[in-house]
Amino acid sequence: MLYVITGPPAAGKSSWIDARATARDIVIDLDRITQALTGPGAPAWNQDPVAIKVAHRARYAAIDEAVKHVGQVDVYLIHTMPSAKWLARYQRHGAEIVTVDPGRDIVLQRVRDMRSPALLAVATRWYAQQSKRRQIGKATGRQASRHW
């Protein structure tokens, strides 16, 4: 099964996966990939532009290969804000989309306490996007996605 885990920075997406994935499963997490590609002492949430660019390329390659194996292993993929194009791609692979969101106040406090201040903008953008999706959902009669 392919699980696509969405949610704002510091929401607990990695913790959600850690509570469910087994050692045999594939976990594609940009933070883990970036850390694996950087030298000793690099911060866990490294936002260096070069490191992120290289990690994104590795992530895309990992996604392309992992979706070929969803019948053999579970694949857990963190994608904070997937576009409609990415969501459609994931859905073609039968993905279960899971949103992890403990709430705006908790997320913003966690970012302030533990993460780069630059991630405040990402969290704010994530909540603005969710607000727009809820408005569209109300206008078209679709149900809002579930909250974890």
Side-chain angles (χ1 to χ4, degrees):
M1 178 69 170
L2 172 62
Y3 298 93
V4 177
I5 316 307
T6 69
K13 298 180 295 292
S14 295
S15 297
W16 188 93
I17 291 170
D18 290 346
R20 288 158 180 82
T22 67
R24 189 170 180 271
D25 295 331
I26 303 299
V27 176
I28 302 172
D29 175 347
L30 189 62
D31 290 338
R32 289 183 189 192
I33 294 169
T34 305
Q35 191 167 26
L37 294 172
T38 53
W45 298 286
N46 191 341
Q47 296 297 308
D48 178 78
V50 173
I52 291 290
K53 185 174 185 173
V54 172
H56 268 106
R57 294 287 185 158
R59 180 176 172 266
Y60 296 142
I63 292 168
D64 288 343
E65 186 61 28
V67 297
K68 297 174 186 176
H69 303 283
V70 294
Q72 301 165 330
V73 296
D74 286 336
V75 175
Y76 294 86
L77 166 62
I78 293 179
H79 197 149
T80 298
M81 289 186 287
S83 66
K85 180 180 173 181
W86 275 104
L87 284 172
R89 180 178 180 194
Y90 296 144
Q91 289 169 343
R92 282 193 304 273
H93 290 288
E96 179 178 332
I97 310 297
V98 177
T99 300
V100 178
D101 178 17
R104 184 185 184 105
D105 292 340
I106 291 170
V107 165
L108 294 180
Q109 190 60 52
R110 286 179 183 173
V111 170
R112 285 186 203 101
D113 292 346
M114 306 178 333
R115 305 284 177 98
S116 163
L119 290 179
L120 284 172
V122 176
T124 300
R125 193 169 71 239
W126 189 88
Y127 282 105
Q129 182 185 59
Q130 296 309 300
S131 178
K132 287 178 187 176
R133 284 189 178 164
R134 278 193 290 274
Q135 289 171 0
I136 291 169
K138 287 178 186 172
T140 62
R142 286 186 266 162
Q143 293 182 346
S145 62
R146 53 189 162 161
H147 295 281
W148 292 89

